[in-house]
Amino acid sequence: MTWSIVARDPEAGAFAVAVTTRAFAVGARCPFVESGIGALSTQALSNPLYGRRGLALLREAVPAPDVVRLLTDADPGREHRQVHVVDRDGTTAAWTGAQCIPWCGQVTAPDVSIAGNMLAGPDVIAETMRVYQSRRKVPLAERLLLALEAGQVAGGDKRGRQSAALVIFAGEEYAQLDLRVDDHPDPLVELRRLYQVAQGRPAAMRQFTPTRANPAGVTDWAVIEAAVTKHLEARETAGRRPRTRTR
Protein backbone atom coordinates (compact mmCIF):
# COMPACT_ATOMS: atom_id res chain seq x y z
CA MET A 1 0.00 0.00 0.00
CA THR A 2 2.72 2.28 -1.21
CA TRP A 3 4.42 3.97 -4.09
CA SER A 4 8.14 4.17 -4.61
CA ILE A 5 10.97 5.06 -6.95
CA VAL A 6 13.99 2.82 -7.56
CA ALA A 7 16.70 4.63 -9.49
CA ARG A 8 20.24 4.61 -10.78
CA ASP A 9 22.17 7.85 -11.30
CA PRO A 10 25.11 6.88 -13.53
CA GLU A 11 26.75 10.30 -13.30
CA ALA A 12 26.78 10.18 -9.49
CA GLY A 13 27.51 6.45 -9.38
CA ALA A 14 24.49 6.08 -7.11
CA PHE A 15 21.51 3.81 -6.54
CA ALA A 16 18.47 4.86 -4.56
CA VAL A 17 14.99 4.08 -3.31
CA ALA A 18 12.46 6.72 -2.26
CA VAL A 19 9.13 5.54 -0.87
CA THR A 20 6.05 6.76 0.98
CA THR A 21 2.86 5.12 2.24
CA ARG A 22 -0.05 5.08 4.66
CA ALA A 23 1.59 2.45 6.83
CA PHE A 24 4.05 2.48 9.71
CA ALA A 25 7.84 2.54 9.15
CA VAL A 26 7.98 1.86 5.42
CA GLY A 27 11.75 2.33 5.50
CA ALA A 28 12.13 -0.79 7.63
CA ARG A 29 10.57 -3.16 5.06
CA CYS A 30 10.56 -1.85 1.50
CA PRO A 31 13.88 -0.34 0.31
CA PHE A 32 17.00 -2.41 -0.37
CA VAL A 33 20.06 -0.79 -1.96
CA GLU A 34 23.72 -1.67 -2.45
CA SER A 35 26.51 0.36 -4.03
CA GLY A 36 27.52 -0.73 -7.51
CA ILE A 37 24.92 -3.46 -7.94
CA GLY A 38 21.40 -2.00 -7.82
CA ALA A 39 18.27 -1.32 -5.82
CA LEU A 40 14.81 -2.73 -5.29
CA SER A 41 11.61 -2.12 -3.36
CA THR A 42 9.23 -4.81 -2.15
CA GLN A 43 5.69 -3.63 -1.38
CA ALA A 44 1.90 -4.32 -1.37
CA LEU A 45 1.72 -7.35 0.97
CA SER A 46 5.48 -6.99 1.02
CA ASN A 47 7.80 -9.96 1.17
CA PRO A 48 10.95 -8.73 2.95
CA LEU A 49 12.74 -11.92 1.87
CA TYR A 50 12.87 -10.39 -1.61
CA GLY A 51 15.32 -7.79 -0.30
CA ARG A 52 18.42 -9.79 0.58
CA ARG A 53 17.68 -12.42 -2.06
CA GLY A 54 17.29 -9.75 -4.70
CA LEU A 55 20.53 -8.02 -3.74
CA ALA A 56 22.34 -11.37 -3.81
CA LEU A 57 21.13 -11.97 -7.37
CA LEU A 58 22.10 -8.44 -8.42
CA ARG A 59 25.53 -9.00 -6.89
CA GLU A 60 25.92 -11.95 -9.26
CA ALA A 61 25.08 -9.65 -12.21
CA VAL A 62 21.67 -11.23 -12.79
CA PRO A 63 19.68 -8.75 -14.95
CA ALA A 64 16.71 -6.99 -13.38
CA PRO A 65 14.00 -8.89 -15.35
CA ASP A 66 15.48 -12.20 -14.22
CA VAL A 67 15.74 -10.99 -10.63
CA VAL A 68 12.02 -10.18 -10.64
CA ARG A 69 11.17 -13.53 -12.27
CA LEU A 70 13.28 -15.59 -9.86
CA LEU A 71 11.89 -13.82 -6.80
CA THR A 72 8.25 -14.09 -7.81
CA ASP A 73 8.40 -17.60 -9.29
CA ALA A 74 9.63 -18.88 -5.91
CA ASP A 75 6.83 -17.15 -3.97
CA PRO A 76 3.37 -18.80 -3.72
CA GLY A 77 2.03 -15.42 -2.55
CA ARG A 78 3.35 -13.53 -5.60
CA GLU A 79 -0.09 -12.38 -6.76
CA HIS A 80 -0.28 -10.22 -3.61
CA ARG A 81 3.23 -8.73 -4.07
CA GLN A 82 4.70 -5.79 -5.87
CA VAL A 83 8.43 -5.52 -6.51
CA HIS A 84 10.59 -3.46 -8.83
CA VAL A 85 14.31 -3.46 -9.51
CA VAL A 86 17.09 -1.50 -11.19
CA ASP A 87 20.36 -3.31 -11.91
CA ARG A 88 23.96 -2.15 -12.32
CA ASP A 89 23.42 -1.37 -16.03
CA GLY A 90 20.27 0.68 -15.41
CA THR A 91 17.90 -2.00 -16.70
CA THR A 92 14.60 -1.93 -14.81
CA ALA A 93 11.85 -4.49 -14.25
CA ALA A 94 8.71 -4.69 -12.15
CA TRP A 95 5.97 -7.08 -11.03
CA THR A 96 2.50 -6.20 -9.79
CA GLY A 97 0.52 -9.24 -8.70
CA ALA A 98 -3.06 -9.73 -9.86
CA GLN A 99 -4.37 -9.50 -6.28
CA CYS A 100 -2.73 -6.16 -5.44
CA ILE A 101 -5.32 -3.56 -4.46
CA PRO A 102 -6.18 -0.92 -7.11
CA TRP A 103 -5.11 1.41 -8.26
CA CYS A 104 -1.89 -0.50 -8.79
CA GLY A 105 0.75 -0.67 -11.47
CA GLN A 106 4.15 0.52 -12.59
CA VAL A 107 5.99 2.56 -15.17
CA THR A 108 9.61 1.85 -16.08
CA ALA A 109 12.35 3.55 -18.07
CA PRO A 110 16.12 3.19 -18.29
CA ASP A 111 17.61 3.89 -14.84
CA VAL A 112 14.25 4.39 -13.08
CA SER A 113 11.11 2.48 -12.12
CA ILE A 114 8.06 3.78 -10.28
CA ALA A 115 5.48 1.41 -8.84
CA GLY A 116 2.54 1.68 -6.48
CA ASN A 117 -0.59 0.08 -5.18
CA MET A 118 -3.72 1.25 -3.35
CA LEU A 119 -3.20 4.65 -4.97
CA ALA A 120 -5.68 7.37 -5.85
CA GLY A 121 -5.14 6.57 -9.55
CA PRO A 122 -2.59 6.17 -12.35
CA ASP A 123 -1.77 9.89 -12.29
CA VAL A 124 0.20 9.32 -9.08
CA ILE A 125 2.98 7.32 -10.71
CA ALA A 126 2.67 9.16 -14.03
CA GLU A 127 3.28 12.50 -12.34
CA THR A 128 6.04 11.05 -10.18
CA MET A 129 7.81 9.85 -13.32
CA ARG A 130 7.22 13.11 -15.20
CA VAL A 131 8.81 15.21 -12.48
CA TYR A 132 11.67 12.76 -11.91
CA GLN A 133 12.55 12.74 -15.61
CA SER A 134 12.30 16.54 -15.88
CA ARG A 135 14.74 17.25 -13.03
CA ARG A 136 17.90 15.66 -14.42
CA LYS A 137 20.14 18.58 -13.41
CA VAL A 138 19.31 18.60 -9.70
CA PRO A 139 21.02 16.34 -7.12
CA LEU A 140 19.56 12.85 -6.89
CA ALA A 141 18.07 13.23 -3.40
CA GLU A 142 16.31 16.47 -4.35
CA ARG A 143 15.09 14.92 -7.58
CA LEU A 144 13.56 11.98 -5.70
CA LEU A 145 11.88 14.25 -3.17
CA LEU A 146 10.40 16.47 -5.87
CA ALA A 147 9.05 13.42 -7.69
CA LEU A 148 7.38 11.96 -4.58
CA GLU A 149 5.92 15.36 -3.72
CA ALA A 150 4.43 15.56 -7.21
CA GLY A 151 2.88 12.12 -6.79
CA GLN A 152 1.38 13.23 -3.49
CA VAL A 153 -0.20 16.27 -5.14
CA ALA A 154 -1.66 13.90 -7.75
CA GLY A 155 -3.44 11.94 -5.01
CA GLY A 156 -0.87 9.66 -3.40
CA ASP A 157 -1.94 6.68 -1.30
CA LYS A 158 -5.72 6.77 -1.28
CA ARG A 159 -5.83 5.85 2.43
CA GLY A 160 -3.75 8.83 3.54
CA ARG A 161 -0.18 9.43 4.78
CA GLN A 162 2.05 8.02 7.51
CA SER A 163 5.66 7.16 6.65
CA ALA A 164 8.41 7.75 4.09
CA ALA A 165 12.05 6.90 3.46
CA LEU A 166 14.94 7.93 1.24
CA VAL A 167 18.04 5.73 0.84
CA ILE A 168 21.03 6.45 -1.43
CA PHE A 169 24.21 4.42 -1.82
CA ALA A 170 27.02 5.98 -3.87
CA GLY A 171 30.11 3.83 -4.10
CA GLU A 172 30.70 2.93 -0.46
CA GLU A 173 29.56 0.02 1.70
CA TYR A 174 27.44 2.40 3.75
CA ALA A 175 24.66 4.76 2.72
CA GLN A 176 25.41 8.26 1.53
CA LEU A 177 21.95 9.20 2.79
CA ASP A 178 19.49 7.13 4.82
CA LEU A 179 16.47 9.06 6.08
CA ARG A 180 13.29 7.63 7.60
CA VAL A 181 10.02 9.07 8.79
CA ASP A 182 8.26 6.22 10.57
CA ASP A 183 5.06 7.85 11.84
CA HIS A 184 4.00 11.36 10.88
CA PRO A 185 0.79 13.06 9.66
CA ASP A 186 2.69 14.56 6.70
CA PRO A 187 5.70 12.30 6.12
CA LEU A 188 7.00 13.93 2.93
CA VAL A 189 7.11 17.33 4.61
CA GLU A 190 9.05 15.77 7.48
CA LEU A 191 11.32 13.86 5.08
CA ARG A 192 12.21 17.10 3.34
CA ARG A 193 12.92 18.74 6.71
CA LEU A 194 15.28 15.89 7.59
CA TYR A 195 16.94 16.23 4.20
CA GLN A 196 17.57 19.92 4.87
CA VAL A 197 19.08 19.05 8.25
CA ALA A 198 21.27 16.43 6.54
CA GLN A 199 22.55 19.07 4.12
CA GLY A 200 24.00 21.07 7.00
CA ARG A 201 26.68 19.80 9.39
CA PRO A 202 26.14 16.10 8.54
CA ALA A 203 26.93 16.75 4.86
CA ALA A 204 30.10 18.63 5.78
CA MET A 205 31.19 15.83 8.13
CA ARG A 206 30.55 13.13 5.52
CA GLN A 207 33.59 14.12 3.45
CA PHE A 208 35.86 13.10 6.33
CA THR A 209 34.36 9.63 6.83
CA PRO A 210 36.60 6.64 6.05
CA THR A 211 36.16 5.34 2.50
CA ARG A 212 37.50 2.51 0.40
CA ALA A 213 40.02 4.93 -1.09
CA ASN A 214 40.94 6.46 2.28
CA PRO A 215 40.26 3.89 5.04
CA ALA A 216 41.43 6.26 7.79
CA GLY A 217 39.32 9.21 6.73
CA VAL A 218 40.28 12.55 8.27
CA THR A 219 40.74 12.79 12.03
CA ASP A 220 42.23 16.26 12.45
CA TRP A 221 39.49 18.19 14.28
CA ALA A 222 40.94 21.55 13.27
CA VAL A 223 40.60 20.63 9.60
CA ILE A 224 37.14 19.19 10.16
CA GLU A 225 35.76 22.18 12.07
CA ALA A 226 37.20 24.67 9.57
CA ALA A 227 35.51 22.82 6.71
CA VAL A 228 32.21 22.56 8.60
CA THR A 229 32.23 26.29 9.35
CA LYS A 230 32.93 27.12 5.70
CA HIS A 231 30.14 24.78 4.54
CA LEU A 232 27.59 26.27 6.94
CA GLU A 233 28.52 29.82 6.01
CA ALA A 234 28.11 28.99 2.32
CA ARG A 235 24.67 27.50 2.98
CA GLU A 236 23.62 30.56 4.95
CA THR A 237 24.73 32.85 2.13
CA ALA A 238 22.91 30.74 -0.45
CA GLY A 239 19.77 30.78 1.69
CA ARG A 240 19.65 34.58 1.58
CA ARG A 241 19.59 34.68 -2.23
CA PRO A 242 16.20 35.07 -3.90
CA ARG A 243 15.04 31.88 -5.58
CA THR A 244 12.64 31.14 -8.40
CA ARG A 245 10.91 27.79 -8.84
CA THR A 246 9.62 26.38 -12.10
CA ARG A 247 7.41 23.41 -12.77
PDB file of all heavy atoms in Angstrom, residues 53-70:
ATOM      1  N   ARG A  53      17.561 -11.503  -0.922  1.00  0.00           N
ATOM      2  CA  ARG A  53      17.681 -12.419  -2.056  1.00  0.00           C
ATOM      3  C   ARG A  53      17.876 -11.651  -3.351  1.00  0.00           C
ATOM      4  O   ARG A  53      18.681 -12.040  -4.201  1.00  0.00           O
ATOM      5  CB  ARG A  53      16.437 -13.304  -2.137  1.00  0.00           C
ATOM      6  CG  ARG A  53      16.325 -14.300  -0.989  1.00  0.00           C
ATOM      7  CD  ARG A  53      15.002 -15.052  -1.016  1.00  0.00           C
ATOM      8  NE  ARG A  53      14.902 -15.970   0.126  1.00  0.00           N
ATOM      9  CZ  ARG A  53      13.819 -16.669   0.417  1.00  0.00           C
ATOM     10  NH1 ARG A  53      12.732 -16.569  -0.343  1.00  0.00           N
ATOM     11  NH2 ARG A  53      13.801 -17.480   1.465  1.00  0.00           N
ATOM     12  N   GLY A  54      17.140 -10.568  -3.500  1.00  0.00           N
ATOM     13  CA  GLY A  54      17.287  -9.754  -4.698  1.00  0.00           C
ATOM     14  C   GLY A  54      18.667  -9.131  -4.810  1.00  0.00           C
ATOM     15  O   GLY A  54      19.283  -9.139  -5.887  1.00  0.00           O
ATOM     16  N   LEU A  55      19.182  -8.599  -3.708  1.00  0.00           N
ATOM     17  CA  LEU A  55      20.527  -8.016  -3.735  1.00  0.00           C
ATOM     18  C   LEU A  55      21.577  -9.086  -4.043  1.00  0.00           C
ATOM     19  O   LEU A  55      22.553  -8.815  -4.760  1.00  0.00           O
ATOM     20  CB  LEU A  55      20.837  -7.340  -2.407  1.00  0.00           C
ATOM     21  CG  LEU A  55      20.068  -6.045  -2.107  1.00  0.00           C
ATOM     22  CD1 LEU A  55      20.451  -5.509  -0.731  1.00  0.00           C
ATOM     23  CD2 LEU A  55      20.293  -4.988  -3.174  1.00  0.00           C
ATOM     24  N   ALA A  56      21.397 -10.286  -3.523  1.00  0.00           N
ATOM     25  CA  ALA A  56      22.343 -11.372  -3.809  1.00  0.00           C
ATOM     26  C   ALA A  56      22.361 -11.690  -5.304  1.00  0.00           C
ATOM     27  O   ALA A  56      23.427 -11.908  -5.905  1.00  0.00           O
ATOM     28  CB  ALA A  56      21.987 -12.609  -3.002  1.00  0.00           C
ATOM     29  N   LEU A  57      21.194 -11.723  -5.930  1.00  0.00           N
ATOM     30  CA  LEU A  57      21.132 -11.967  -7.370  1.00  0.00           C
ATOM     31  C   LEU A  57      21.768 -10.826  -8.151  1.00  0.00           C
ATOM     32  O   LEU A  57      22.524 -11.047  -9.113  1.00  0.00           O
ATOM     33  CB  LEU A  57      19.671 -12.151  -7.793  1.00  0.00           C
ATOM     34  CG  LEU A  57      18.988 -13.424  -7.286  1.00  0.00           C
ATOM     35  CD1 LEU A  57      17.478 -13.344  -7.498  1.00  0.00           C
ATOM     36  CD2 LEU A  57      19.550 -14.657  -7.993  1.00  0.00           C
ATOM     37  N   LEU A  58      21.488  -9.590  -7.757  1.00  0.00           N
ATOM     38  CA  LEU A  58      22.102  -8.443  -8.424  1.00  0.00           C
ATOM     39  C   LEU A  58      23.618  -8.465  -8.273  1.00  0.00           C
ATOM     40  O   LEU A  58      24.353  -8.076  -9.194  1.00  0.00           O
ATOM     41  CB  LEU A  58      21.526  -7.146  -7.858  1.00  0.00           C
ATOM     42  CG  LEU A  58      20.072  -6.842  -8.213  1.00  0.00           C
ATOM     43  CD1 LEU A  58      19.540  -5.693  -7.367  1.00  0.00           C
ATOM     44  CD2 LEU A  58      19.933  -6.513  -9.701  1.00  0.00           C
ATOM     45  N   ARG A  59      24.086  -8.908  -7.125  1.00  0.00           N
ATOM     46  CA  ARG A  59      25.528  -9.002  -6.891  1.00  0.00           C
ATOM     47  C   ARG A  59      26.189  -9.975  -7.866  1.00  0.00           C
ATOM     48  O   ARG A  59      27.363  -9.817  -8.228  1.00  0.00           O
ATOM     49  CB  ARG A  59      25.767  -9.458  -5.442  1.00  0.00           C
ATOM     50  CG  ARG A  59      27.037  -8.916  -4.813  1.00  0.00           C
ATOM     51  CD  ARG A  59      27.083  -9.285  -3.337  1.00  0.00           C
ATOM     52  NE  ARG A  59      26.120  -8.525  -2.559  1.00  0.00           N
ATOM     53  CZ  ARG A  59      25.191  -9.056  -1.771  1.00  0.00           C
ATOM     54  NH1 ARG A  59      25.079 -10.377  -1.663  1.00  0.00           N
ATOM     55  NH2 ARG A  59      24.354  -8.286  -1.105  1.00  0.00           N
ATOM     56  N   GLU A  60      25.430 -10.963  -8.300  1.00  0.00           N
ATOM     57  CA  GLU A  60      25.924 -11.953  -9.261  1.00  0.00           C
ATOM     58  C   GLU A  60      25.691 -11.505 -10.702  1.00  0.00           C
ATOM     59  O   GLU A  60      25.843 -12.291 -11.641  1.00  0.00           O
ATOM     60  CB  GLU A  60      25.235 -13.290  -9.014  1.00  0.00           C
ATOM     61  CG  GLU A  60      25.584 -13.909  -7.665  1.00  0.00           C
ATOM     62  CD  GLU A  60      24.707 -15.106  -7.323  1.00  0.00           C
ATOM     63  OE1 GLU A  60      23.912 -15.537  -8.196  1.00  0.00           O
ATOM     64  OE2 GLU A  60      24.825 -15.610  -6.197  1.00  0.00           O
ATOM     65  N   ALA A  61      25.316 -10.247 -10.893  1.00  0.00           N
ATOM     66  CA  ALA A  61      25.081  -9.647 -12.213  1.00  0.00           C
ATOM     67  C   ALA A  61      23.885 -10.257 -12.929  1.00  0.00           C
ATOM     68  O   ALA A  61      23.812 -10.240 -14.164  1.00  0.00           O
ATOM     69  CB  ALA A  61      26.332  -9.716 -13.079  1.00  0.00           C
ATOM     70  N   VAL A  62      22.929 -10.785 -12.191  1.00  0.00           N
ATOM     71  CA  VAL A  62      21.674 -11.233 -12.792  1.00  0.00           C
ATOM     72  C   VAL A  62      20.884 -10.001 -13.227  1.00  0.00           C
ATOM     73  O   VAL A  62      20.691  -9.078 -12.432  1.00  0.00           O
ATOM     74  CB  VAL A  62      20.857 -12.074 -11.785  1.00  0.00           C
ATOM     75  CG1 VAL A  62      19.508 -12.474 -12.380  1.00  0.00           C
ATOM     76  CG2 VAL A  62      21.649 -13.308 -11.367  1.00  0.00           C
ATOM     77  N   PRO A  63      20.413  -9.936 -14.480  1.00  0.00           N
ATOM     78  CA  PRO A  63      19.677  -8.751 -14.947  1.00  0.00           C
ATOM     79  C   PRO A  63      18.356  -8.567 -14.201  1.00  0.00           C
ATOM     80  O   PRO A  63      17.743  -9.532 -13.733  1.00  0.00           O
ATOM     81  CB  PRO A  63      19.429  -9.054 -16.430  1.00  0.00           C
ATOM     82  CG  PRO A  63      20.422 -10.111 -16.792  1.00  0.00           C
ATOM     83  CD  PRO A  63      20.640 -10.916 -15.547  1.00  0.00           C
ATOM     84  N   ALA A  64      17.917  -7.318 -14.135  1.00  0.00           N
ATOM     85  CA  ALA A  64      16.709  -6.989 -13.376  1.00  0.00           C
ATOM     86  C   ALA A  64      15.494  -7.839 -13.748  1.00  0.00           C
ATOM     87  O   ALA A  64      14.781  -8.311 -12.856  1.00  0.00           O
ATOM     88  CB  ALA A  64      16.396  -5.498 -13.541  1.00  0.00           C
ATOM     89  N   PRO A  65      15.180  -8.058 -15.047  1.00  0.00           N
ATOM     90  CA  PRO A  65      14.000  -8.887 -15.351  1.00  0.00           C
ATOM     91  C   PRO A  65      14.105 -10.294 -14.779  1.00  0.00           C
ATOM     92  O   PRO A  65      13.096 -10.858 -14.322  1.00  0.00           O
ATOM     93  CB  PRO A  65      13.974  -8.905 -16.884  1.00  0.00           C
ATOM     94  CG  PRO A  65      14.696  -7.655 -17.291  1.00  0.00           C
ATOM     95  CD  PRO A  65      15.786  -7.495 -16.272  1.00  0.00           C
ATOM     96  N   ASP A  66      15.305 -10.860 -14.777  1.00  0.00           N
ATOM     97  CA  ASP A  66      15.475 -12.201 -14.223  1.00  0.00           C
ATOM     98  C   ASP A  66      15.408 -12.195 -12.698  1.00  0.00           C
ATOM     99  O   ASP A  66      14.930 -13.153 -12.093  1.00  0.00           O
ATOM    100  CB  ASP A  66      16.795 -12.809 -14.688  1.00  0.00           C
ATOM    101  CG  ASP A  66      16.790 -13.138 -16.172  1.00  0.00           C
ATOM    102  OD1 ASP A  66      15.700 -13.422 -16.707  1.00  0.00           O
ATOM    103  OD2 ASP A  66      17.863 -13.095 -16.797  1.00  0.00           O
ATOM    104  N   VAL A  67      15.871 -11.121 -12.096  1.00  0.00           N
ATOM    105  CA  VAL A  67      15.738 -10.994 -10.635  1.00  0.00           C
ATOM    106  C   VAL A  67      14.262 -11.024 -10.246  1.00  0.00           C
ATOM    107  O   VAL A  67      13.847 -11.766  -9.347  1.00  0.00           O
ATOM    108  CB  VAL A  67      16.404  -9.700 -10.130  1.00  0.00           C
ATOM    109  CG1 VAL A  67      16.072  -9.465  -8.647  1.00  0.00           C
ATOM    110  CG2 VAL A  67      17.910  -9.750 -10.329  1.00  0.00           C
ATOM    111  N   VAL A  68      13.455 -10.212 -10.931  1.00  0.00           N
ATOM    112  CA  VAL A  68      12.020 -10.183 -10.641  1.00  0.00           C
ATOM    113  C   VAL A  68      11.406 -11.562 -10.863  1.00  0.00           C
ATOM    114  O   VAL A  68      10.614 -12.045 -10.047  1.00  0.00           O
ATOM    115  CB  VAL A  68      11.327  -9.107 -11.503  1.00  0.00           C
ATOM    116  CG1 VAL A  68       9.806  -9.246 -11.419  1.00  0.00           C
ATOM    117  CG2 VAL A  68      11.759  -7.719 -11.053  1.00  0.00           C
ATOM    118  N   ARG A  69      11.742 -12.204 -11.964  1.00  0.00           N
ATOM    119  CA  ARG A  69      11.174 -13.528 -12.271  1.00  0.00           C
ATOM    120  C   ARG A  69      11.564 -14.560 -11.219  1.00  0.00           C
ATOM    121  O   ARG A  69      10.711 -15.328 -10.730  1.00  0.00           O
ATOM    122  CB  ARG A  69      11.651 -13.988 -13.648  1.00  0.00           C
ATOM    123  CG  ARG A  69      11.180 -15.389 -14.030  1.00  0.00           C
ATOM    124  CD  ARG A  69      11.696 -15.778 -15.405  1.00  0.00           C
ATOM    125  NE  ARG A  69      13.135 -15.723 -15.496  1.00  0.00           N
ATOM    126  CZ  ARG A  69      13.957 -16.681 -15.044  1.00  0.00           C
ATOM    127  NH1 ARG A  69      13.449 -17.762 -14.438  1.00  0.00           N
ATOM    128  NH2 ARG A  69      15.261 -16.554 -15.175  1.00  0.00           N
ATOM    129  N   LEU A  70      12.822 -14.594 -10.831  1.00  0.00           N
ATOM    130  CA  LEU A  70      13.281 -15.588  -9.862  1.00  0.00           C
ATOM    131  C   LEU A  70      12.650 -15.363  -8.485  1.00  0.00           C
ATOM    132  O   LEU A  70      12.288 -16.318  -7.790  1.00  0.00           O
ATOM    133  CB  LEU A  70      14.805 -15.553  -9.764  1.00  0.00           C
ATOM    134  CG  LEU A  70      15.543 -16.086 -10.999  1.00  0.00           C
ATOM    135  CD1 LEU A  70      17.018 -15.701 -10.941  1.00  0.00           C
ATOM    136  CD2 LEU A  70      15.387 -17.596 -11.120  1.00  0.00           C
TER     137      LEU A  70
END
